[in-house]
Amino acid sequence: MNTVMQLVHALAGFIVVAEALNKLERTNILCASISPRQRLVDALKALAWILLALGAAGSMAAPVLLAMGVPPEAGGQLARLERPTLAEVLVLTGFATLIVRTRVKEG
């Protein structure tokens, strides 16, 4: 069961990273023709997607690093190199499901 959770977690992380990179590519904070309010909205959107991408990338990196023999305590305060908890898997999978649903809905 733990291996299935790890695979689901990594797959969901991949979906979130891919979507985050796609959204970041389409965000243009430095455009000269937008209002300060729109610039703030785009900057907050970019910040949110950057944070989601970093978190999802960590979910994909942890199992790879563990498989390579990196000790769990090597991440220190910044990264928790352990197997994901059920809560982490469910949150990331729920977010990935919303992304896939939006893509399917768009056609």
Side-chain angles (χ1 to χ4, degrees):
M1 182 64 170
N2 207 2
T3 304
V4 173
M5 280 184 23
Q6 286 178 289
L7 289 173
V8 169
H9 196 244
L11 178 62
F14 178 78
I15 291 170
V16 172
V17 167
E19 183 69 9
L21 293 176
N22 181 38
K23 295 286 188 180
L24 283 171
E25 182 182 30
R26 294 188 285 156
T27 303
N28 191 2
I29 302 167
L30 303 176
C31 181
S33 63
I34 62 175
S35 69
R37 181 182 177 278
Q38 186 60 42
R39 189 178 316 279
L40 176 63
V41 168
D42 280 359
L44 291 172
K45 179 179 176 181
L47 177 62
W49 283 110
I50 288 169
L51 294 173
L52 285 167
L54 288 172
S59 74
M60 294 183 340
V64 173
L65 292 173
L66 286 172
M68 290 174 48
V70 175
E73 60 275 358
Q77 296 288 329
L78 296 176
R80 191 174 57 86
L81 298 180
E82 302 175 350
R83 288 170 174 71
T85 65
L86 180 60
E88 293 169 339
V89 173
L90 293 177
V91 168
L92 196 59
T93 304
F95 195 70
T97 304
L98 289 173
I99 290 170
V100 171
R101 177 194 117 354
T102 302
R103 291 292 178 177
V104 169
K105 185 177 169 185
E106 289 174 353

